[in-house]
Amino acid sequence: MNEAEWLGGSALKILSFSDLHVDYNSTELNRELTQEIADCIKEHAPDRVIVAGDMAGGAERCIRYIEEIQEKSGVPLSYVPGNHSIWATRDNGDSWKQYNLLRDHESSLIDKPLLLNEEWVLVGDMGWYDYTHGLEHKTRAEIVKDKNMMWKDSVMARWGMEDEELTELILEKLRGQFEQFQDRKVMFVNHFIPYASYVPLSKRPEHPMGKVWNLIRPFMGSTKLGELLDQYAHVEYVIFGHKHWRHGMEVHNGKKIICNPLGYVKEWVTDDFATEIRSAATVIEL
Ligand SMILES: [Fe+2]
Ligand SMILES: [Fe+2]
């Protein structure tokens, strides 16, 4: 019996990831990466793995990788979809079909908060974006035009509703879950960015990278999610990805914020998968 068990609680170790993009990165590196991801998980020996979206493109591929990683690591995995996860093609239905496939999988947190121990509950959903990271800079009409011109969700994410409506719908579900678990500490996970400080305007707007970043900021998340989270002090951890930039774990508005995505091979500092997956793994000890 360890000290935490002796004191009446049980220590819990969580390993969090996001944006593994296993399909894309396996193609780029010309090998199947799930065993190497499982090896990294086994080194840490966590009680649970969390992946904050963008496991791969489309729900079926996500589910295949989730199951492979669980099987090879022997550790249960909790997943929320990212925007790539709900991409719909002509043959596989709309984005709701993709979302529902992932929601119905045993790994999903959607509509099923997970009690981690006596103290903690894990709450999660996909999240979405509503242009609030950008409306201070551009009109809605300009943002929609940019989206149609260069953001792949404009073709692949088919919801049959506006982005703002989808965001609101998910925020309302989350509000209900935060209310329901007032007596517990909440670890929250979604794919999208809640806080404006993580989506700053580029200081080099004329540089090609700065130009692209300023164009895609409105599709990064929602400040309304941040406002919702800040209403609930019992939400102590906030995990997200989407933006392929590793911040690690930081404290923001009294909460521990984890944004530490793996991202694409071409975005990495090294070309060594073993190094990058370990740098993208975040250990949370409860
Ligand atoms: Fe991603
Ligand atoms: Fe994403």
Side-chain angles (χ1 to χ4, degrees):
M1 184 178 286
N2 64 32
E3 191 186 5
E5 283 164 343
W6 177 248
L7 293 171
S10 55
L12 204 63
K13 188 176 186 182
I14 306 279
L15 193 63
S16 112
F17 294 98
S18 83
D19 297 82
L20 295 176
H21 292 285
V22 181
D23 47 355
Y24 181 88
N25 288 331
S26 293
T27 305
E28 284 291 297
L29 294 173
N30 206 18
R31 64 183 195 270
E32 190 57 79
L33 295 171
T34 51
Q35 183 61 54
E36 291 166 66
I37 296 169
D39 291 343
C40 171
I41 293 169
K42 282 198 279 188
E43 273 173 31
H44 287 284
D47 296 291
R48 179 164 294 275
V49 168
I50 295 173
V51 180
D54 282 1
M55 176 71 90
E60 277 176 23
R61 241 183 280 173
C62 286
I63 288 169
R64 195 177 85 225
Y65 291 132
I66 289 166
E67 290 178 351
E68 275 184 39
I69 293 169
Q70 281 192 142
E71 205 178 292
K72 290 174 180 171
S73 67
V75 178
L77 189 156
S78 290
Y79 188 65
V80 294
N83 52 322
H84 288 239
S85 324
I86 53 74
W87 276 359
T89 63
R90 217 179 290 257
D91 311 317
N92 69 1
D94 65 2
S95 289
W96 285 113
K97 185 171 171 208
Q98 302 300 303
Y99 178 87
N100 291 340
L101 270 172
L102 285 162
R103 179 199 61 191
D104 296 342
H105 190 257
E106 39 128 24
S107 65
S108 176
L109 295 169
I110 297 172
D111 305 332
K112 311 183 273 214
L114 182 74
L115 301 180
L116 292 171
N117 61 14
E118 302 82 353
E119 245 187 327
W120 287 89
V121 61
L122 180 58
V123 170
D125 208 313
M126 173 182 67
W128 199 249
Y129 49 80
D130 58 3
Y131 318 151
T132 43
H133 296 308
L135 278 170
E136 85 290 6
H137 180 58
K138 284 183 172 176
T139 67
R140 185 181 189 279
E142 286 170 327
I143 291 169
V144 170
K145 199 168 146 213
D146 289 344
K147 185 185 175 198
N148 292 333
M149 187 178 69
M150 48 80 68
W151 186 242
K152 219 171 162 188
D153 287 353
S154 63
V155 182
M156 304 294 280
R158 296 202 302 269
W159 299 103
M161 61 170 64
E162 300 292 348
D163 291 321
E164 294 97 326
E165 289 177 88
L166 176 60
T167 304
E168 200 55 49
L169 204 145
I170 292 174
L171 291 187
E172 274 316 300
K173 285 206 284 178
L174 291 172
R175 184 189 303 279
Q177 291 169 21
F178 296 150
E179 289 287 335
Q180 184 188 347
F181 291 101
Q182 294 268 13
D183 59 335
R184 280 178 173 265
K185 295 180 176 181
V186 174
M187 180 179 289
F188 169 69
V189 54
N190 97 132
H191 184 60
F192 293 91
I193 306 176
Y195 296 115
S197 58
Y198 284 82
V199 199
L201 263 174
S202 172
K203 294 192 180 81
R204 297 186 300 164
E206 299 310 322
H207 186 277
M209 298 280 281
K211 199 175 269 183
V212 171
W213 171 247
N214 284 347
L215 278 174
I216 66 173
R217 286 175 66 241
F219 320 125
M220 287 296 111
S222 169
T223 57
K224 289 185 186 166
L225 173 60
E227 287 160 19
L228 178 70
L229 294 168
D230 287 346
Q231 286 172 27
Y232 295 102
H234 70 304
V235 179
E236 295 193 13
Y237 279 90
V238 176
I239 304 170
F240 58 89
H242 190 44
K243 170 195 188 182
H244 290 182
W245 183 269
R246 290 182 211 151
H247 293 265
M249 188 169 353
E250 299 175 333
V251 175
H252 181 88
N253 294 358
K255 301 183 191 304
K256 294 184 186 79
I257 313 290
I258 295 158
C259 173
N260 205 34
L262 177 65
Y264 300 137
V265 175
K266 64 181 177 200
E267 299 163 327
W268 298 347
V269 177
T270 74
D271 55 5
D272 178 40
F273 185 74
T275 304
E276 296 294 330
I277 191 72
R278 281 160 185 78
S279 132
T282 309
V283 177
I284 306 163
E285 309 241 28
L286 298 178

